[in-house]
């Protein structure tokens, strides 16, 4: 499909930006990736997203679309010709997909970001809460995947994109923090899913190597990126 | 339309619950309202929403749907026969609706909740930030309403429901706090919109009188309810 003026403003290390890249890849939409320097944001970014001033931004038909979850749904509703659906067609299945995606962004990501600031004894409790959340996601995976590869069953769907985009950061966080938030005994499905997700053609060219995140985390002592 | 087992678990004072009631009213769906005592949550609520343990929950066809934004979209996608659409049909307009609704829930509501805990001098700054956010919403209203009554133009739409459900609490907050976050000079459109929204048949039986919220705020010194 021709580019048709589709542009993505972002940085390659943002899981929120990666979501948009993956969604466009799944829909076979060509796009121009415009890398932003977040310490000196471009006039284009500030013009496109004057409210939140954040990446990702999708530019399509002169319109700017902001916020990763909103962008994924825009992509799903706009490019329908290749027959690929990111959200399921059934309203209840769509609600389930939106529920777990919101749970991840609103509950689990803040827990992971807390790890940066909490003291040693609180860290143990915070890691425990993350592990409990991962077990909930394991149960969600079992239900949604119906014995197939992805949360979206045969194909990568909405939850896959939302959660999967973060897995590089989570792996790096485990390495740098010397801990495990996903364990074979408790989240075998999720661990297998990560491998399948990361190996998918729409994904593997998008999400940077874990080693890069490890270096970024070590160099800047940063937590995984904030919600956008 | 027959009830067909449609139930809403909630409390009448929660704006998140009110969203669900308004959406069902707009779609002319009869439903049973099951009032929850949030200090002693029912087994039904805990069974339906074991993850977040919050209202609202919509029960339909034996399925439980949780989180107000997800529920509104479920309602919009499920009951399509009366020709009423809550979200616009155009993907870009849908993205705009989702953007401002997320902005309200993720940015403005936390600002309002902050008012409860901040000290006196910080309170002035916090109120100023809320006013700035209201001016952004005023601009959004001008664009979305296209000179008509609602964010959804001729009819109450997604943004109307999300923002409007909170207006009783905001009015009460202004009264109890002795301040204004919306002023005729800066947000004339929003002030006119509130009146039209509150007078709509789908809304006026749902949102309690402001005086009730004033009493609740004064009695319990509570901030507006948390996101759900």
């Amino acid at each position: 499909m021709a580019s048709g003026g589709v542009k993505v403003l972002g940085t390659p290390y943002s899981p929120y930006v990666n979501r948009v890249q993956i969604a466009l890849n799944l829909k076979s939409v060509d796009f121009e990736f415009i890398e932003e320097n977040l310490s000196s944001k471009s006039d284009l970014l500030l013009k496109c997203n004057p409210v939140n001033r954040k990446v990702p931004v999708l530019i399509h038909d002169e319109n700017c679309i902001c916020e990763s979850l909103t962008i994924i749904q825009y992509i799903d509703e706009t490019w329908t010709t290749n027959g690929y659906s990111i959200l399921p067609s059934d309203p209840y299945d769509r609600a389930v997909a939106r529920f777990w995606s919101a749970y991840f962004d609103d509950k689990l990501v803040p827990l992971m970001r807390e790890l940066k600031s909490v003291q040693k004894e609180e860290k143990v409790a915070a890691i425990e809460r993350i592990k409990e959340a991962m077990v909930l996601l394991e149960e969600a995976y079992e239900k949604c995947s119906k014995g197939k590869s992805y949360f979206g069953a045969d194909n990568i769907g909405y939850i896959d994109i939302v959660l999967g985009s973060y897995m590089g950061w989570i792996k790096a966080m485990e390495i740098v923090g010397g801990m495990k938030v996903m364990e074979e005994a408790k989240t075998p499905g999720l661990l297998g899913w990560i491998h399948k997700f990361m190996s998918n053609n729409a994904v593997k060219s998008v999400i940077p190597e874990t080693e890069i995140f490890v270096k970024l985390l070590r160099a800047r002592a940063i937590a995984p990126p904030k919600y956008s």
Side-chain angles (χ1 to χ4, degrees), chain A:
Chain A
M1 188 179 290
S3 162
V6 180
K7 295 182 178 75
V8 175
L9 310 188
T11 79
Y13 312 114
S14 159
Y16 305 104
V17 173
N18 294 160
R19 289 174 181 176
V20 175
Q21 296 168 285
I22 293 165
L24 288 169
N25 285 348
L26 291 169
K27 291 281 190 171
S28 308
V29 178
D30 291 336
F31 61 95
E32 181 187 349
F33 188 84
I34 302 176
E35 189 162 350
E36 278 289 326
N37 176 354
L38 295 185
S39 56
S40 171
K41 293 174 183 174
S42 73
D43 290 343
L44 182 60
L45 173 58
L46 299 179
K47 184 184 153 218
C48 282
N49 192 358
V51 175
N52 295 333
R53 301 169 170 230
K54 282 184 182 171
V55 293
V57 172
L58 178 76
I59 306 178
H60 177 229
D61 280 350
E62 313 286 318
N63 287 321
C64 301
I65 301 104
C66 309
E67 299 293 306
S68 66
L69 299 187
T70 295
I71 298 173
I72 299 171
Q73 290 177 87
Y74 175 84
I75 291 169
D76 200 30
E77 294 165 359
T78 299
W79 288 281
T80 54
T81 50
N82 79 341
Y84 197 104
S85 287
I86 293 171
L87 274 157
S89 57
D90 176 74
Y92 176 67
D93 292 339
R94 292 164 74 86
V96 169
R98 291 186 175 119
F99 175 85
W100 286 112
S101 300
Y103 175 78
F104 184 80
D105 273 3
D106 300 338
K107 304 278 158 57
L108 190 46
V109 171
L111 273 181
M112 290 190 290
R113 291 189 55 79
E114 253 184 51
L115 282 183
K116 189 186 162 194
S117 51
V118 294
Q119 297 303 310
K120 206 172 178 182
E121 57 274 30
E122 289 172 329
K123 199 161 271 180
V124 176
I127 292 169
E128 214 45 53
R129 286 201 299 278
I130 295 172
K131 284 183 182 177
E132 286 165 15
M134 290 295 180
V135 171
L136 289 179
L137 292 179
E138 172 78 12
E139 290 167 14
Y141 175 74
E142 278 170 30
K143 278 187 199 157
C144 295
S145 62
K146 297 163 185 150
K148 309 283 180 65
S149 295
Y150 302 107
F151 281 91
D154 286 313
N155 296 306
I156 287 180
Y158 192 65
I159 310 180
D160 295 286
I161 298 173
V162 173
L163 274 60
S165 62
Y166 239 96
M167 291 302 141
W169 277 104
I170 292 176
K171 283 272 159 209
M173 192 179 76
E174 288 185 328
I175 293 168
V176 173
M179 43 97 180
K180 288 269 176 204
V181 295
M182 282 181 281
E183 293 160 318
E184 189 60 40
K186 290 190 173 169
T187 58
L190 279 187
L191 288 168
W193 161 78
I194 292 174
H195 181 69
K196 284 175 271 193
F197 178 79
M198 292 295 205
S199 314
N200 187 289
N201 280 334
V203 175
K204 62 186 180 190
S205 62
V206 172
I207 298 187
E209 295 291 324
T210 303
E211 199 47 45
I212 293 178
F213 294 129
V214 168
K215 281 184 190 159
L216 285 170
L217 280 174
R218 286 206 167 117
R220 297 152 60 192
I222 56 170
K226 269 188 203 161
Y227 172 76
S228 172

